Amino acid sequence: MIPVRIHETDGINGLPDGFLDLARIVYENEPQWIPENPGRITAKISSAHSWFNDGRARCFLIPGRGRVAGFISPKMVIDGVQAAFFGYWETMGSPEDDACLWARVEEWSRQEGAKVLYGPINFTTFDNYRIRVSAEPGARTFQAESFNPPDYAERLKRAGFSPCREYVVQIGPTPIVKQLTQIHADLIPSLVAEGYRFEPLTIDGWMAHLDEMHTVADNVFADNFAYTPISYETFAAGNGRSFISKACPRTSCFVFAPNGRIAAFSIMYPHYGPLVTQSAGERRIDVSKLNHEKHAPLLDAHPPRVILVKTMATTSEHRRKGIFNAMATYAIENSCDAYDVWFGTLIRSDNPSRRYATTASQFERRYALFHKALV
């Protein structure tokens, strides 16, 4: 057997030649794939990324057949154990290629001091992570959703990985979802009486509070599995004006505490899938260029109209007051005429927030994060 040659680069020095070609090969005939943004990936895997202030990365490629990147930093300690992540993983499915690629990734991770390998995670959970395990018939991919060949989970299991966290997307039609507001009708008035304020989350409002939002993000996501803090510079670069300009201002909101600080926030987007997947052909819009004011009206030509409940988060000191349910009620009441279907997106399967829309959910998509002990 001819030995498999793996092309490698230290991430600080960029990508191996051909690294970005592989996804196009894997998904050539997949209309629901959202093409990668080569410029964004190239910028992230380079010396310009603040990740390399204290982190390491290495890229591995079997040209035209398989690729993966490994990430590690001192911050990636999970359950008291130094971890490494793998991301940007794609494969054409050759068992021999896969075995060689994983052996090298695991060897590098051990050399860097990791005891366990998690993924797929592109750098951190602020970026894309997880794989999609199942979906309803005719599923349309939404922006930032994991999309992969249906056998990727089995390929990971054959390589010795096992699921460590599972996630769902809950899907329900507006008429049923609207009934949830009747259950929680008194929440917003009672919170307002306590001094809380509900305000639409606008682009200008988000940018005015961007520095505070960096601190809020660390607070609300600190207990999330595999959460890795990032610098303000990295947060601002990935979550600035272009990020928030995709959001629906009718459904997204800030909740301010009586002292004027941010107590909670929700970010919701239209399902831009018909505009950004490969199915859009020459008219396809890059995800990074999406703008609600400009592009949301185009979705009327691609029914049903879908809203994605992307992020709903409450700071630790304001939890157990019903603010999560109040934000959901705010969104539903403000936009029932604008959307036909609601997606509660990428909820951890054991998260209590999943209960809010359980009775309104007709379908669920499932996703998983995997891990493997390095011995």
Side-chain angles (χ1 to χ4, degrees):
M1 181 182 295
I2 300 175
V4 174
R5 183 185 174 196
I6 300 176
H7 298 238
E8 301 183 24
T9 59
D10 189 314
I12 200 170
N13 297 322
L15 297 164
D17 290 340
F19 192 89
L20 294 173
D21 296 334
L22 188 61
R24 290 193 292 268
I25 297 171
V26 172
Y27 300 104
E28 181 180 7
N29 298 312
E30 290 286 355
Q32 286 302 309
W33 177 56
I34 300 176
E36 294 179 326
N37 183 323
R40 184 172 184 268
I41 297 174
T42 301
K44 289 174 74 69
I45 303 181
S46 75
S47 59
H49 196 324
S50 63
W51 171 266
F52 294 101
N53 292 343
D54 61 6
R56 296 284 310 279
R58 193 161 187 85
C59 304
F60 307 88
L61 172 70
I62 303 174
R65 290 145 62 185
R67 76 177 196 194
V68 68
F71 306 100
I72 192 167
S73 86
K75 300 173 184 175
M76 291 161 49
V77 176
I78 300 174
D79 296 332
V81 176
Q82 177 67 59
F85 297 162
F86 73 86
Y88 298 103
W89 172 58
E90 300 290 355
T91 174
M92 293 298 291
S94 162
E96 294 79 12
D97 291 345
D98 289 351
C100 291
L101 204 58
W102 288 123
R104 182 66 191 102
V105 174
E106 292 167 23
E107 179 184 30
W108 174 82
S109 300
R110 284 192 292 267
Q111 290 172 345
E112 293 291 327
K115 303 298 184 184
V116 61
L117 183 60
Y118 290 92
I121 301 173
N122 296 348
F123 281 98
T124 74
T125 54
F126 268 105
D127 210 318
N128 286 2
Y129 70 105
R130 299 167 286 229
I131 63 168
R132 194 166 82 179
V133 176
S134 65
E136 77 283 2
R140 298 192 300 184
T141 309
F142 57 84
Q143 65 278 11
E145 180 184 10
S146 302
F147 181 83
N148 47 265
D151 65 346
Y152 264 25
E154 290 305 315
R155 292 181 190 179
L156 285 173
K157 291 175 183 177
R158 286 198 294 269
F161 289 86
S162 58
C164 59
R165 289 293 186 280
E166 296 180 332
Y167 307 81
V168 300
V169 167
Q170 296 177 308
I171 302 173
T174 292
I176 297 178
V177 170
K178 189 175 181 179
Q179 296 174 13
L180 299 174
T181 62
Q182 300 170 14
I183 303 172
H184 304 288
D186 296 333
L187 273 176
I188 294 177
S190 65
L191 287 164
V192 170
E194 291 183 38
Y196 288 91
R197 295 191 339 265
F198 288 73
E199 294 187 4
L201 198 162
T202 64
I203 297 173
D204 289 344
W206 176 267
M207 296 305 297
H209 292 93
L210 193 61
D211 184 66
E212 184 179 358
M213 280 304 306
H214 177 239
T215 303
V216 168
D218 278 339
N219 179 294
V220 300
F221 301 130
D223 294 332
N224 282 12
F225 181 77
Y227 177 75
T228 307
I230 58 175
S231 67
Y232 173 74
E233 291 73 22
T234 300
F235 178 83
N239 299 275
R241 183 172 293 273
S242 63
F243 164 81
I244 204 61
S245 66
K246 305 175 182 67
C248 169
R250 292 179 63 173
T251 53
S252 307
C253 74
F254 278 124
V255 181
F256 292 95
N259 64 3
R261 306 295 290 176
I262 295 172
F265 68 97
S266 66
I267 302 176
M268 305 188 190
Y269 305 110
H271 187 317
Y272 291 110
L275 308 181
V276 300
T277 56
Q278 202 158 230
S279 64
E282 295 181 354
R283 296 184 300 244
R284 193 183 72 82
I285 301 165
D286 190 278
V287 172
S288 66
K289 294 180 171 57
L290 285 172
N291 177 282
H292 183 272
E293 182 178 3
K294 181 178 180 180
H295 297 122
L298 302 180
L299 294 170
D300 288 342
H302 302 277
R305 301 166 302 170
V306 179
I307 183 70
L308 309 176
V309 182
K310 179 63 172 66
T311 303
M312 297 181 65
T314 307
T315 57
S316 56
E317 61 269 37
H318 298 283
R319 290 173 187 160
R320 298 182 179 84
K321 290 178 174 288
I323 294 176
F324 176 96
N325 291 345
M327 289 191 295
T329 301
Y330 172 97
I332 296 167
E333 289 181 338
N334 284 345
S335 62
C336 274
D337 61 327
Y339 300 104
D340 307 305
V341 180
W342 290 69
F343 279 28
T345 66
L346 300 171
I347 307 163
R348 200 179 70 240
S349 60
D350 61 346
N351 191 322
S353 65
R354 183 182 177 187
R355 294 195 297 263
Y356 179 88
T358 297
T359 57
S361 178
Q362 290 189 334
F363 298 101
E364 285 191 344
R365 298 185 190 179
R366 296 185 175 274
Y367 309 77
L369 188 68
F370 287 76
H371 77 321
K372 181 179 183 179
L374 301 174
V375 294

